[in-house]
Amino acid sequence: MGVAVGIDLGTSNSCVAAVRDGEPVVFADAEGRRTQPSVVAFGYGKSAVVGHRARRQLLYAPENTVVSAKRLVGRRADSEEVRRMKAQSAFGITEGENGDVRIRVQGRLISAPEVSAHVLMHMKKIAEAALDEEVDKAVITVPAYFNDAQRQATRDAASIAGLECLRILNEPTAAALAYGFRQGKRQHVAVYDLGGGTFDISILRIDDDFFEVVATAGDTFLGGDDFDYAAADEFLNEFCRQTGLNLVDNRTVRMKLREAAERAKIALSTGDEVEVQVPALYRGPDGKEHDFTAIVDRFTYAQWVMPLVQRTFDVCDDALKAAGMTPRQVDHVLLVGGMTRFPLVRDAVQQFFGKSPNASLNPDEVVAVGAAIQAHSLTNVEEAASSVLLDVTPQSLGVRTVGGFVEVVIPRNTAIPTDSSKVFHTAFDNQTEVRIAVFQGESRMAEDNELLGEFVLEGLTPKPRGQVKVRVTFEIDNDGIVHVRALDDSLGIEKSIRIEAKSGLAPEEIKAARFDDVDF
Ligand code: AMP
């Protein structure tokens, strides 16, 4: 039997861990690096490189190098998030036949779960090399706000990579597990997660083995990259001022300055001042090379990025409001994500919540460690205390009714697993089928929400309108995945329903994409 690991499949970076001899262990690659960029560089044929090597390819072949696939996983091609990604990606993003996203690299179209599968496979191989044992099962973490399609797509990615997905676990729940919030009194924990590209805040209520995500909020375009872009803009202005050149539209200059900005940020997390140097940043048409140098201190840097830190607290306010709490009612604050290493962020979090955050665990590894603990308890039932993790639905779930409105069946923040039923009546005389469109989201209008799928219940008895009742039951399982049943009340028997997937991969597609025979 193979080993079960925990994988933090991140937007920018991923991490893998497992419990060995009772202790969580984070696996490093051959060079000793404990996290891997979630970057996949495609070559010819089916070959691909992943992680640090792929990140290097980003500089010279960005059109064949896929970053942030997690932003595309389980999303429809016409969604706002995908539109934003399209605007800033060097690789092609198009629409698949079923409305989901396809990525165009080396003349091939690939699905987002396939890209994520490459990352999962890479993490699996790192763990296998470190353990010298086979890894065949994993608990994989996702943001608490991930909807059904995104969770399904993450499961699809695991299948493609040949991993049995034991559980899809919410990232904040994993962080709380890593901090050992399992025993003891009832308490509220806020998980503040600021990574490279995204920000999430989740509020958990923990009572012994119950982990309830009582509220979650986030900004999918707010992270360390934005800090780097903000500082790079300042560097560019300074460079233009020093040289008298106008290089606002020069992509290469911007990219080099962005890298310099990230180095400066990391240096400023331990030092008070940093000297930024970019030799030969720009070569003019006359062949003259221009270097860039500047000195930045913490205070100046703080002024540049403070609006971004403030934005995280606007999101925290939303989550606290949904939980009906004030910042001071939170008992513990946990830090997750590389950006929480930055002292400015830590100090601001401390001020906002009125208490020092727990930061004893590595913020890059804490989610993978929690996932490993969960993987261990799911595979060692006799040894581990029974693990009941109670999560909540991040978004409301409902069906479209006459006039394009949404009738909510399971409201947002309901604890899962859960089920709920609603009865619908036929709208026309002699109607023999009903089409039920399932939406996830908070808008009253169906079209503003995410369409999860459509169900056609056929074979109803023809009767005058309103006389046939159809009971639709929504069930959300432990993984947050939605199942729907429909029942014709007049016949009293359950009818078959046809699910028309609007996104995600068909089982044949998953099978075809499996990596069994692919060399990495
Ligand atoms: P993550 O997505 O959680 O891996 O976080 C990556 C982000 O954290 C990137 O924006 C990094 O530049 C940033 N980061 C990593 N280490 C540090 C550090 N020591 N100080 C400041 N930012 C950091």
Side-chain angles (χ1 to χ4, degrees), residues 339-362:
M339 273 310 297
T340 61
R341 288 226 173 82
F342 204 60
L344 173 78
V345 172
R346 285 192 180 188
D347 294 349
V349 169
Q350 173 157 0
Q351 279 212 334
F352 180 84
F353 286 99
K355 57 189 60 72
S356 0
N358 294 32
S360 55
L361 297 180
N362 185 329

Side-chain angles (χ1 to χ4, degrees), residues 111-367:
S111 67
E114 232 175 298
V115 179
S116 293
H118 279 286
V119 179
L120 290 174
M121 185 67 132
H122 188 61
M123 304 318 287
K124 168 178 146 90
K125 295 210 160 166
I126 285 173
E128 285 177 338
L131 287 163
D132 201 18
E133 269 182 87
E134 194 203 348
V135 167
D136 61 355
K137 294 180 277 303
V139 167
I140 302 171
T141 58
V142 296
Y145 64 78
F146 253 27
N147 68 19
D148 179 67
Q150 292 165 301
R151 285 166 198 263
Q152 288 276 17
T154 306
R155 272 191 170 275
D156 292 348
S159 305
I160 295 170
L163 275 170
E164 181 193 337
C165 179
L166 293 170
R167 178 72 54 94
I168 296 286
L169 181 66
N170 286 329
E171 289 162 7
T173 306
L177 277 174
Y179 269 102
F181 281 99
R182 288 200 66 161
Q183 293 92 30
K185 62 180 189 341
R186 177 185 163 124
Q187 48 202 333
H188 285 95
V189 171
V191 180
Y192 179 100
D193 179 352
L194 187 58
T198 58
F199 172 67
D200 295 305
I201 176 83
S202 306
I203 296 168
L204 309 183
R205 182 163 51 224
I206 304 175
D207 207 348
D208 277 335
D209 270 344
F210 281 97
F211 286 68
E212 190 178 348
V213 184
V214 288
T216 173
D219 184 331
T220 50
F221 284 91
L222 174 59
D225 295 347
D226 299 286
F227 285 58
D228 303 337
Y229 288 125
D233 279 349
E234 299 287 343
F235 293 169
L236 186 60
N237 288 341
E238 176 62 18
F239 185 59
C240 293
R241 205 185 53 73
Q242 285 173 7
T243 57
L245 296 162
N246 181 1
L247 297 170
V248 173
D249 296 323
N250 188 311
R251 234 184 136 120
T252 317
V253 166
R254 279 188 168 276
M255 208 149 92
K256 286 184 178 172
L257 287 176
R258 203 206 72 83
E259 283 182 7
E262 184 174 10
R263 285 195 300 272
K265 174 182 73 183
I266 291 172
L268 283 172
S269 76
T270 45
D272 287 336
E273 200 176 84
V274 58
E275 183 173 7
V276 182
Q277 286 184 322
V278 189
L281 172 61
Y282 178 70
R283 180 198 284 261
D286 55 359
K288 185 169 179 247
E289 284 188 343
H290 299 267
D291 303 337
F292 176 63
T293 45
I295 305 250
V296 184
D297 60 38
R298 260 196 195 179
F299 180 75
T300 311
Y301 188 85
Q303 284 182 319
W304 295 343
V305 300
M306 212 50 207
L308 296 169
V309 179
Q310 192 50 50
R311 265 172 64 196
T312 68
F313 297 124
D314 296 341
V315 179
C316 291
D317 280 333
D318 285 349
L320 286 163
K321 201 167 148 214
M325 292 174 71
T326 64
R328 290 187 187 252
Q329 285 173 318
V330 170
D331 300 303
H332 297 277
V333 183
L334 313 185
L335 298 182
V336 177
M339 273 310 297
T340 61
R341 288 226 173 82
F342 204 60
L344 173 78
V345 172
R346 285 192 180 188
D347 294 349
V349 169
Q350 173 157 0
Q351 279 212 334
F352 180 84
F353 286 99
K355 57 189 60 72
S356 0
N358 294 32
S360 55
L361 297 180
N362 185 329
D364 298 324
E365 300 174 357
V366 53
V367 169

Side-chain angles (χ1 to χ4, degrees), residues 224 284 352 420 424 485:
F352 180 84
S420 182
F424 296 89
R485 280 179 289 137

